[in-house]
Amino acid sequence: MASLTTSQASFVARPSPKRISPRSTDQQVSLSPRDLPSFSGLRAFTRSSTHRRLPTRALAPISATVRASAATDVALVDKSVNTIRFLAIDAVEKAKSGHPGLPMGCAPMGHVLFDEVMKYNPKNPYWFNRDRFILSAGHGCMLQYALLHLAGYDSVREEDLKSFRQWGSRTPGHPENFETPGVEVTTGPLGQGIANAVGLALAEKHLAARFNKPDFEIVDHYTYAILGDGCQMEGIANEACSLAGHWGLGKLIAFYDDNHISIDGDTEIAFTENVGTRFEGLGWHVIWVKNGNTGYDEIRAAIKEAKAVKDKPTLIKITTTIGFGSPNKANSYSVHGSALGEKEVDATRKNLGWPYGPFHVPEDVKSHWGRHIPEGAALETEWNAKFADYEKKYPQEAAELKSIVTVNLPTGWEKSLPTYTPESPADATRNLSQQCLNALAKVLPGFLGGSADLASSNMTLLKMFGDFQKSAPEERNLRFGVREHSMGAICNGITCHSPGLIPYCATFFVFTDYMRAAIRLSALSQAGVIYVMTHDSIGLGEDGPTHQPIEHVASFRAMPNILMLRPADGTETAGAYKVAVENRKRPSILALSRQKLPHLPGTSIEGVEKGGYVISDNSTGNKPDIILMGTGSELEIAAKAGEKLREEGRAVRVVSLVSWELFDEQSEEYKESVLPSEVSARVSIEAGSTFGWEKMVGSKGKAIGVDSFGASAPADVLYKKFGLTVDAVVAAAKDIC
């Protein structure tokens, strides 16, 4: 990897598409020697707005901020826009499933963005300094697939369009970053994408502040997003956009597809607020393009104006007609989420004067878009040359930036993690976590994060850094405020920006309920966010059942591609962070205690890496009389129960099951060495739901836990009342052995 250029290493560091066999021509994408990437269905009503509207007038050619001239032949632009529309129509029709309305309405803004504005290299989708595009309204993904296809991305060829929404396709029913190179983040659940876009724009602003120099603007790209009415209704969008305004993310430009239609009908039935006024209150610059169907010059001028605003993000409200061109279904909910049907497809072809068959790209359109391949290669080559000069003058900064772009972790970084012995003073694992966080921040250039207004309780403050703010974007403490849901989604965007950015975020474990959708998308997107979740059980005490997680550990164990870690002491906490940092393609949740815990003999970082391991054992021949299992704060209880049973002459093995997922990944031989199948006498203890423990204790074992809501009382009282005691474990062991 050391011999690769920054952009090349970024390319190979990204996740490869799943379920798809590499095509021979795909091999040409990687590591090339570039070195150093008039229709009647218009709405019958308008809505008043206090924000400014651009006039519909002819404009002079746009400056270098828009790469292609606005003077491009209007007829060719119309043909290009209709090509986008019909690629979407035809793909949805062939699949008999999908959402044609958004691509038909948003094709003009999509064309202007991808053909005239954005900088990217189709042959290296992971070139570092590319502009990022997020389709927050992910149901309209055929818009994005059509644009990637026209731009020359190898990930979306004609056969991919024809296999839209089919098994093994690179064109799934919603955009998936792990399936389709060119797709930055996984979207679909509305509002998530715009929050991801805030994370991407934050990453750009942060890296630019750290690495740009007066004579080298090495980090310089925009984040563009399209969101719809549904995204605007979701609370996560408002949370994230509030932060974007607060942080002054001037290189975030969001296009609001204002088509007034949702699945249930016109948005008048449930959504009548003035979105523009709200965004102005959130600290955004707001522009209204009234004619989003054919007003190409308005769209161009709006983007130019947005780029001129440096100190705040911009919302461009673009009024469009959903399903534009469909004579009978445009401007209605029926075009939102269903194929048009053969008759309506034919009628739309006639209405828009489209004489071509399904999936046809006219030669002049193909030729026009074909320039993006050499232009993209030239953009990357130019940037690589600039970076080579930057590296000569600023070698330390260049090395740090390379590590962030390529996820090449510094050699020996794990040695920075603190070490503990049984003689170390007892402490809450949330406090031990803070020691780990601050140790890692000193050696990992891409390590940053924060809490949802609980930094002093989650213990997540990086003491050697200040707060990331509009005026201090180089700092690494992120203050999310009480916005758990957007916090998770923003961190997803950060980690999807560059593989060496390692964000963490924190709140009380019970409040993962507020952010579960974002955590699930972390797992689905292969985004290695570290979730630092404190106050992990009834052990938090007097705050009571509203704040005491019960089912949460079990629920995350049920979620695919995520690591649920519940460390018992300082050594296991350090081990959990080692695992979390190394797992860049799956997120980790660290459930940490509020109460003090002792440092146990027998715990180890190596054991944590295996997920489950023996911390004490007086048996021989892998045949203990009984196996006691625990996690987190209850491992101490299991260990003490083991000592008591041994005093009575029993052969007892005590096992830490800090991460079931990691344990499941071990060899059958290893798992048998820890939990021998011949030993059916097993007892587990965990201060949470017993759901799932039958997998570990078997049909003859016993699981001690909490299967009801908690209560308000001191922690020691709660543990006694709920039977989480040494005596309870000993009694259970004697019952079955």
Side-chain angles (χ1 to χ4, degrees):
M1 186 69 77
S3 65
L4 303 180
T5 68
T6 302
S7 58
Q8 291 170 344
S10 174
F11 180 79
V12 298
R14 300 298 298 171
S16 58
K18 297 167 66 179
R19 302 198 302 267
I20 303 295
S21 299
R23 299 164 173 162
S24 58
T25 49
D26 283 350
Q27 305 307 311
Q28 300 170 7
V29 179
S30 64
L31 308 187
S32 64
R34 287 189 292 273
D35 274 357
L36 270 168
S38 94
F39 151 63
S40 60
L42 300 176
R43 81 174 64 261
F45 62 88
T46 59
R47 216 173 259 156
S48 63
S49 176
T50 59
H51 46 274
R52 62 182 303 288
R53 177 175 68 85
L54 290 171
T56 53
R57 57 182 175 83
L59 298 174
I62 293 173
S63 69
T65 59
V66 176
R67 292 190 290 107
S69 171
T72 300
D73 180 72
V74 174
L76 180 58
V77 173
D78 283 337
K79 186 181 282 190
S80 173
V81 168
N82 281 333
T83 300
I84 296 165
R85 289 183 174 126
F86 281 99
L87 288 175
I89 290 169
D90 295 336
V92 172
E93 194 64 29
K94 187 174 187 300
K96 304 301 180 187
S97 172
H99 300 75
L102 183 146
M104 295 168 72
C106 291
M109 68 178 89
H111 165 86
V112 172
L113 264 178
F114 271 76
D115 188 53
E116 300 180 9
V117 176
M118 287 176 57
K119 59 181 183 183
Y120 54 87
N121 182 0
K123 298 304 179 184
N124 182 0
Y126 307 115
W127 168 45
F128 169 73
N129 206 41
R130 69 193 181 277
D131 290 332
R132 271 70 169 175
F133 171 77
I134 310 301
L135 184 61
S136 188
H139 56 273
C141 56
M142 268 310 307
L143 171 70
Q144 189 166 11
Y145 298 151
L147 292 166
L148 294 175
H149 175 65
L150 291 177
Y153 283 76
D154 291 324
S155 55
V156 185
R157 299 176 181 172
E158 183 177 334
E159 59 265 34
D160 297 302
L161 299 177
K162 290 179 177 178
S163 60
F164 176 53
R165 287 184 161 226
Q166 305 307 302
W167 177 263
S169 170
R170 290 189 180 186
T171 50
H174 289 83
E176 297 173 358
N177 64 312
F178 54 92
E179 290 287 2
T180 314
V183 171
E184 301 287 351
V185 298
T186 298
T187 60
L190 295 176
Q192 293 285 337
I194 184 61
N196 296 159
V198 172
L200 289 161
L202 180 153
E204 192 278 342
K205 187 178 181 76
H206 174 68
L207 295 177
R210 284 176 60 183
F211 296 107
N212 285 352
K213 303 294 182 181
D215 54 339
F216 279 101
E217 194 172 30
I218 204 71
V219 182
D220 176 27
H221 50 266
Y222 281 81
T223 301
Y224 300 96
I226 292 177
L227 68 160
D229 289 305
C231 293
Q232 294 285 17
M233 294 184 216
E234 289 284 0
I236 185 176
N238 196 71
E239 288 183 17
C241 291
S242 173
L243 281 167
H246 170 74
W247 286 328
L249 302 181
K251 287 188 174 179
L252 172 60
I253 300 175
F255 297 80
Y256 167 30
D257 176 27
D258 171 42
N259 65 42
H260 295 261
I261 297 294
S262 62
I263 291 175
D264 280 352
D266 194 288
T267 55
E268 289 281 359
I269 63 175
F271 187 59
T272 53
E273 68 184 49
N274 189 317
V275 173
T277 300
R278 172 162 61 88
F279 269 74
E280 286 175 344
L282 294 176
W284 287 56
H285 180 65
V286 178
I287 307 168
W288 180 25
V289 173
K290 190 172 184 180
N291 177 15
N293 297 324
T294 58
Y296 308 130
D297 281 346
E298 287 187 67
I299 296 170
R300 293 173 180 130
I303 296 170
K304 181 180 180 182
E305 179 179 327
K307 286 192 166 188
V309 177
K310 307 295 186 183
D311 62 341
K312 58 179 65 176
T314 295
L315 179 77
I316 304 176
K317 172 184 171 182
I318 303 186
T319 300
T320 66
T321 301
I322 190 172
F324 180 89
S326 170
N328 302 301
K329 294 188 175 182
N331 199 32
S332 72
Y333 69 90
S334 61
V335 77
H336 170 84
S338 302
L340 293 178
E342 184 177 346
K343 290 183 179 179
E344 190 65 14
V345 170
D346 290 342
T348 304
R349 277 185 156 81
K350 291 176 183 176
N351 192 49
L352 291 177
W354 193 252
Y356 308 103
F359 301 100
H360 182 78
V361 179
E363 286 302 318
D364 50 351
V365 173
K366 189 180 297 184
S367 175
H368 175 74
W369 279 82
R371 75 187 193 283
H372 289 291
I373 293 174
E375 284 184 2
L379 284 168
E380 183 176 350
T381 297
E382 179 184 358
W383 184 85
N384 285 335
K386 179 189 285 190
F387 185 81
D389 292 338
Y390 176 90
E391 189 171 23
K392 293 175 184 176
K393 190 169 183 180
Y394 304 104
Q396 182 176 345
E397 291 89 338
E400 280 198 5
L401 182 56
K402 270 188 175 181
S403 74
I404 290 170
V405 172
T406 63
V407 76
N408 281 339
L409 299 176
T411 302
W413 66 269
E414 71 280 0
K415 295 177 183 177
S416 69
L417 289 166
T419 58
Y420 305 92
T421 69
E423 291 70 42
S424 300
D427 208 345
T429 52
R430 62 170 176 163
N431 293 331
L432 302 168
S433 164
Q434 185 175 44
Q435 296 171 17
C436 293
L437 288 171
N438 279 272
L440 291 171
K442 294 176 181 178
V443 296
L444 298 178
F447 200 69
L448 73 168
S451 169
D453 198 48
L454 287 168
S456 61
S457 192
N458 298 142
M459 309 305 292
T460 50
L461 196 67
L462 300 180
K463 297 177 181 179
M464 70 289 294
F465 295 109
D467 293 344
F468 176 97
Q469 295 290 352
K470 183 177 182 178
S471 60
E474 72 280 2
E475 300 292 355
R476 295 203 225 170
N477 284 301
L478 305 180
R479 302 286 191 172
F480 291 103
V482 189
R483 301 182 182 94
E484 293 90 355
H485 197 181
S486 67
M487 173 176 70
I490 288 169
C491 285
N492 285 341
I494 293 171
T495 194
C496 287
H497 182 280
S498 294
L501 285 175
I502 305 176
Y504 67 89
C505 60
T507 185
F508 290 171
F509 192 28
V510 75
F511 296 142
T512 54
D513 288 344
Y514 279 127
M515 58 191 302
R516 184 171 296 271
I519 297 174
R520 187 176 189 273
L521 281 172
S522 296
L524 179 60
S525 304
Q526 303 176 12
V529 178
I530 301 175
Y531 291 95
V532 181
M533 298 295 149
T534 68
H535 298 62
D536 70 334
S537 73
I538 62 170
L540 68 88
E542 291 85 349
D543 276 344
T546 60
H547 284 52
Q548 293 166 353
I550 299 295
E551 73 280 15
H552 297 71
V553 169
S555 71
F556 286 113
R557 285 174 180 154
M559 186 177 286
N561 196 46
I562 193 166
L563 296 175
M564 179 67 245
L565 298 128
R566 191 162 181 255
D569 64 3
T571 299
E572 286 203 341
T573 301
Y577 273 106
K578 183 175 187 292
V579 166
V581 169
E582 289 175 339
N583 276 267
R584 293 295 79 230
K585 291 188 180 180
R586 59 178 167 180
S588 301
I589 298 177
L590 278 65
L592 305 167
S593 74
R594 178 179 184 265
Q595 70 272 35
K596 290 184 177 183
L597 303 175
H599 300 274
L600 301 173
T603 57
S604 70
I605 289 177
E606 296 76 18
V608 173
E609 291 177 299
K610 294 181 181 296
Y613 65 105
V614 178
I615 68 163
S616 67
D617 189 8
N618 68 329
S619 68
T620 58
N622 201 29
K623 293 181 180 180
D625 296 330
I626 190 163
I627 300 173
L628 306 181
M629 294 170 271
T631 73
S633 45
E634 292 71 63
L635 186 60
E636 175 197 5
I637 297 174
K640 288 181 176 179
E643 292 171 3
K644 197 167 185 178
L645 287 166
R646 288 174 193 137
E647 290 173 0
E648 299 178 7
R650 305 295 183 99
V652 182
R653 176 175 294 177
V654 179
V655 172
S656 170
L657 283 171
V658 59
S659 171
W660 291 16
E661 298 80 22
L662 292 173
F663 186 66
D664 284 344
E665 292 169 4
Q666 304 308 309
S667 67
E668 292 301 320
E669 292 77 9
Y670 176 78
K671 287 186 282 188
E672 180 69 15
S673 74
V674 176
L675 300 178
S677 54
E678 289 185 6
V679 181
S680 60
R682 304 179 183 187
V683 177
S684 68
I685 181 167
E686 185 173 61
S689 171
T690 59
F691 182 82
W693 272 103
E694 63 274 8
K695 172 181 177 180
M696 299 299 182
V697 301
S699 60
K700 297 182 180 180
K702 288 194 174 184
I704 298 172
V706 182
D707 289 316
S708 65
F709 290 116
S712 180
D716 58 343
V717 174
L718 291 171
Y719 268 66
K720 290 177 183 177
K721 294 293 185 182
F722 283 98
L724 301 172
T725 65
V726 172
D727 288 343
V729 175
V730 170
K734 290 180 177 180
D735 281 347
I736 58 177
C737 180

